[in-house]
Amino acid sequence: MKKYILASFLLLIGLGASAQKFAYVDTEYILKHLPEYKSSLTQIDGMSQQYQKQVDDSFMEIDKMYKAYQADQVLLTDDMRKRRENDIIEKEKKAKELQRLKFGPEGELFQMRTKLLKPIQEKIATTIAETAKGKFIDFVFDKSSESTMMIYASSNYDISNDVIIKLGYKPGTLVK
């Protein structure tokens, strides 16, 4: 009797496990098809270069001030030396603050990246969910994600092209 119960239990578990459907997507591949993603990256890169130039200019000015101070140091009185040292230190603090405001975790670049990319990511996530529901798929993994490593994936389960089609683009035509 115990054998029959155990066999029935194992059979039910096996049926339940086989009923689950898995699929994967490659979000990097999907993103390469979206012109709005490419446009957002271009905007972010442009702002990053602009901010970096501002920060670099600020530090170059500090470097010039310091070199001028070193050259004039012998000729300066103690009071003048202290004042110039304080000016350099103050300028350096401002440059570091500028760097933090532009590139820090709460900086303008991070906020811009979030503002531009979050709607795209949400659109893709929604489309993936709709595609998975339409195909009765229980689990979808992201092949391009570092945290979800996939050793082998059969192309039969790749729904990336379905997501691209549902987003209104043609698979295989990457944005340049």
Side-chain angles (χ1 to χ4, degrees), residues 36-49 109 112 116:
E36 61 260 35
Y37 178 72
K38 178 75 171 168
S39 171
S40 296
L41 285 184
T42 303
Q43 278 184 288
I44 291 167
D45 288 344
M47 289 305 292
S48 176
Q49 290 172 0
L109 192 65
M112 180 184 192
L116 291 174

Side-chain angles (χ1 to χ4, degrees), residues 29 33 160-166 168-174:
Y29 173 72
H33 283 77
S160 301
N161 285 335
D162 297 331
V163 172
I164 291 169
I165 291 168
K166 200 158 190 167
Y169 299 102
K170 185 178 176 189
T173 54
L174 305 179

Side-chain angles (χ1 to χ4, degrees), residues 65-66 68-90:
M65 286 175 68
Y66 183 70
Y69 167 74
Q70 283 183 323
D72 299 341
Q73 188 175 10
V74 181
L75 305 172
L76 299 174
T77 65
D78 285 343
D79 187 42
M80 290 171 73
R81 246 186 273 144
K82 274 278 194 220
R83 224 176 311 134
R84 299 249 316 250
E85 287 172 4
N86 287 338
D87 287 345
I88 293 170
I89 290 169
E90 202 56 41

